[in-house]
Amino acid sequence: MQSVMVFSRFERFWHWFQAVLIIALMMTGFEVNGAYEWLGYETAAQWHRWTAWVLIWLWVFAIFWHLITGEWKQYIPTPRGMVEVIRYYSVGIFDPTVSHPYKKTRLAKHNPVQRVAYSAFNILITPIIWITGLLYMFYNDWDVVGLDGGAITLAGVALVHTAAAFAMLVFFIGHVYMAGFTAKPFYGYIKSMITGYEHVEVDEPARTGAPPAE
């Protein structure tokens, strides 16, 4: 085991900035949806639109970074080691004598459960929430692209967008729980995402049960 930089400066910046933006979007979005009243509808809607554009550009840059660095391979799902990790999360975290079965390396940062969760977030939740959000934002221009009067309705778009927002909320709660309560010590994952450093297996990617990122 050796302490090495697992998360680069950009990854840490992207992670925390994205977290702040997603929290802001959920807070303003649920207010726009009528869940509660804080900023007022008009102010919340305006901040929701501004924050959405910032997050869109952040994700565009993040996608570009993942493609040119090959880091996208870190998210390829794998069934190997899945049962062991699930057993650890459901039972092992309550036993101080049980260590995490997944041996992280610089080439395979995410365990099998994380890979599935992040893939679902990136492939399912994210596209749905952005497509419906942009459709909602540009509703007055639907006639330009031939959507006006078609099978797609504003109410339907709003419903799907809200459902995706709840899915994102569930993911966010699960992510916070896993990051804050499943490491040993409990602050281990949060510390590594702040400093970038973590104790990992440097030269044994085969033990992770996951394909290495090239």
Side-chain angles (χ1 to χ4, degrees):
M1 298 288 285
Q2 182 178 339
S3 180
V4 299
M5 179 169 284
V6 176
F7 300 106
S8 67
R9 289 182 180 179
F10 173 75
E11 285 179 289
R12 285 174 280 149
F13 163 77
W14 164 56
H15 176 272
W16 293 112
F17 192 26
Q18 176 180 247
V20 171
L21 293 173
I22 288 177
I23 291 172
L25 281 168
M26 288 192 294
M27 292 180 65
T28 55
F30 285 125
E31 180 169 7
V32 169
N33 202 51
Y36 62 92
E37 186 174 350
W38 177 40
L39 299 173
Y41 178 85
E42 291 297 334
T43 302
Q46 187 64 57
W47 276 102
H48 194 72
R49 288 190 291 269
W50 288 343
T51 307
W53 281 118
V54 174
L55 186 55
I56 285 175
W57 283 110
L58 177 64
W59 277 357
V60 168
F61 192 78
I63 291 171
F64 175 74
W65 180 85
H66 278 83
L67 290 176
I68 63 173
T69 61
E71 286 294 306
W72 63 272
K73 297 177 183 179
Q74 300 275 2
Y75 302 93
I76 299 176
T78 175
R80 288 184 292 175
M82 178 73 74
V83 174
E84 290 80 1
V85 174
I86 292 176
R87 185 182 299 117
Y88 172 78
Y89 283 150
S90 58
V91 179
I93 58 174
F94 303 107
D95 186 345
T97 64
V98 177
S99 60
H100 202 300
Y102 184 80
K103 304 304 179 184
K104 183 181 297 186
T105 74
R106 288 178 296 179
L107 301 179
K109 304 173 185 178
H110 307 306
N111 66 53
V113 173
Q114 288 175 311
R115 287 171 178 253
V116 171
Y118 296 154
S119 294
F121 179 82
N122 293 324
I123 297 174
L124 297 176
I125 299 176
T126 297
I128 292 174
I129 208 163
W130 284 124
I131 291 172
T132 55
L134 290 171
L135 283 172
Y136 199 94
M137 190 181 300
F138 293 102
Y139 171 69
N140 292 328
D141 298 316
W142 281 18
D143 58 326
V144 177
V145 292
L147 292 177
D148 191 32
I152 300 177
T153 64
L154 184 62
V157 169
L159 179 62
V160 175
H161 188 70
T162 302
F166 274 105
M168 180 173 285
L169 177 61
V170 170
F171 173 87
F172 182 82
I173 293 173
H175 184 68
V176 171
Y177 168 76
M178 300 297 276
F181 298 97
T182 62
K184 294 178 181 179
F186 70 90
Y187 55 82
Y189 296 145
I190 296 176
K191 180 181 178 181
S192 66
M193 189 51 72
I194 293 175
T195 66
Y197 286 88
E198 190 166 342
H199 291 285
V200 302
E201 300 280 355
V202 179
D203 298 315
E204 300 181 61
R207 292 182 59 188
T208 65
E214 298 176 358

